[in-house]
Amino acid sequence: MPELPEVEVTRLSFASRIEGATVQAAYLGKPLRWPLGCEASTLVGQTVGTAQRRGKYLWLPLGGAEQAEQPGLLMHLGMSGSLSFGQDLGARGAHDHFELGTTKGCLRLTDPRRFGAVVWSPSRDRGAAAKLLAGLGLEPFDPRFDGSALHAGLQRRRVAVKQALLGGQIVVGAGNIYACEALFLAGIDPRTRSDRISRPRAERLAQALRTTLANALALGGSTLRDFRDAHGMAGDFQSQAQVYGREGQQCQACFTPIKRLIQGQRSTFYCPQCQRR
DNA sequence: CGGGACGCCTGTGAGC
DNA sequence: TGCTCACAGGCGTCCC
């Protein structure tokens, strides 16, 4: 589920409401992808800072104001995770595997498949968080991410361009939906070898990726099944998708049937007419 | 090292 | 109705 737009929509939906709260309790349910890495009691009494996003990770600083190196929780929503935040979230369900009770409300991670994670780290730049964030590519809205940076990154790989986008070593944030959509918007066949993408096409792809992600962000992300922001609001981008999940349906630009293929064990959707090598 | 396959875990929908 | 199977938004790890 959660790609960059969903993670950012989630962050925006609770960050300002939880900021400054004091942690009163922490609950751990079934194991997530990795162990928390500290005792639940370590979190109690900590002050929540400003939630940040890096790629598809959220960083929730704990431990007071503006310390140079404050500890915190690195969170990932995996494939099926979502966060909710509120004063009264109701009874815990079978898929609620982490909760942070605070003076301003309860932050709860619901994640049926448990590919998500909540990991304590002594700081964002050291320990577990640093290790998980190392090697991530540029943020798509970072001014340093432009056609030239994308082109250079693609030149260094020789996988299909779709997989280079998904990998996250060049640019972060695109998952299966938005990688497919951005490639459609840029008119590029997803099977094209990344090092064969010309400079002008890389320029177009960089712009297409930003446009796609910004559009999804504005629509509250994509809700294919269970994505909700921390208020419980569903996203609406899925209704705008041009290729994702539309195998056999007509391309809205040229009426050619959308095709599906498998790349790296994942479905890729594309228009064989609009997208060229 | 780059690249590809695998596995983590649960739910859903299709087909029989 | 009930079973089995394929498949699902991510990504670290293990091989070659």
Side-chain angles (χ1 to χ4, degrees):
Chain A
M1 159 221 310
E3 307 180 29
L4 184 147
E6 291 75 28
V7 176
E8 182 65 5
V9 161
T10 297
R11 184 184 75 83
L12 292 170
S13 67
F14 80 91
S16 65
R17 292 193 292 148
I18 199 176
E19 189 174 359
T22 301
V23 177
Q24 296 174 310
Y27 163 84
L28 292 172
K30 285 190 189 176
L32 294 164
R33 191 177 231 282
W34 301 293
L36 178 60
C38 75
E39 296 299 318
S41 59
T42 305
L43 307 176
V44 175
Q46 302 286 329
T47 303
V48 180
T50 308
Q52 300 155 44
R53 181 190 55 74
R54 176 74 175 100
K56 298 171 194 169
Y57 289 91
L58 287 173
W59 171 248
L60 191 66
L62 296 176
E66 306 305 317
Q67 295 171 31
E69 293 225 322
Q70 48 193 341
L73 294 173
L74 193 70
M75 302 191 283
H76 198 289
L77 301 180
M79 292 268 267
S80 58
S82 59
L83 286 171
S84 42
F85 181 74
Q87 292 288 347
D88 183 14
L89 295 180
R92 243 181 325 246
H95 302 308
D96 298 333
H97 302 303
F98 179 79
E99 269 183 14
L100 205 60
T102 80
T103 49
K104 294 193 171 186
C106 181
L107 183 69
R108 174 186 283 174
L109 174 68
T110 305
D111 186 2
R113 290 173 74 180
R114 292 192 279 130
F115 289 177
V118 181
V119 176
W120 185 88
S121 185
S123 100
R124 185 181 155 150
D125 302 321
R126 286 184 296 123
K131 200 170 170 185
L132 289 167
L133 297 176
L136 291 187
L138 290 168
E139 285 290 326
F141 295 108
D142 184 324
R144 289 173 295 177
F145 176 69
D146 56 11
S148 152
L150 178 58
H151 186 244
L154 293 174
Q155 287 297 310
R156 274 182 248 117
R157 309 281 310 274
R158 51 206 67 216
V159 288
V161 60
K162 155 94 177 320
Q163 300 201 242
L165 280 185
L166 276 184
Q169 301 97 331
I170 304 171
V171 58
V172 296
N176 210 24
I177 298 177
Y178 302 118
C180 290
E181 294 298 315
L183 285 163
F184 172 80
L185 193 55
I188 296 172
D189 187 311
R191 297 166 295 186
T192 312
R193 259 177 57 157
S194 66
D195 58 350
R196 303 254 176 86
I197 300 282
S198 69
R199 173 63 203 270
R201 300 188 92 202
E203 194 79 51
R204 250 192 297 159
L205 182 54
Q207 188 52 51
L209 180 61
R210 280 190 299 259
T211 301
T212 301
L213 294 175
N215 190 17
L217 204 47
L219 290 168
S222 297
T223 297
L224 295 188
R225 172 161 300 132
D226 44 21
F227 172 71
R228 295 287 188 278
D229 74 9
H231 299 287
M233 288 291 294
D236 204 32
F237 180 86
Q238 68 286 351
S239 63
Q240 310 268 305
Q242 301 288 299
V243 288
Y244 185 84
R246 300 191 67 242
E247 182 184 15
Q249 298 177 41
Q250 283 185 340
C251 170
Q252 295 177 27
C254 74
F255 310 114
T256 302
I258 299 299
K259 281 195 169 179
R260 181 171 82 102
L261 54 83
I262 302 295
Q263 292 181 288
Q265 348 271 81
R266 322 269 315 262
S267 287
T268 296
F269 299 88
Y270 71 106
C271 171
Q273 177 69 29
C274 296
Q275 296 177 253
R276 298 306 180 99
R277 297 206 192 219

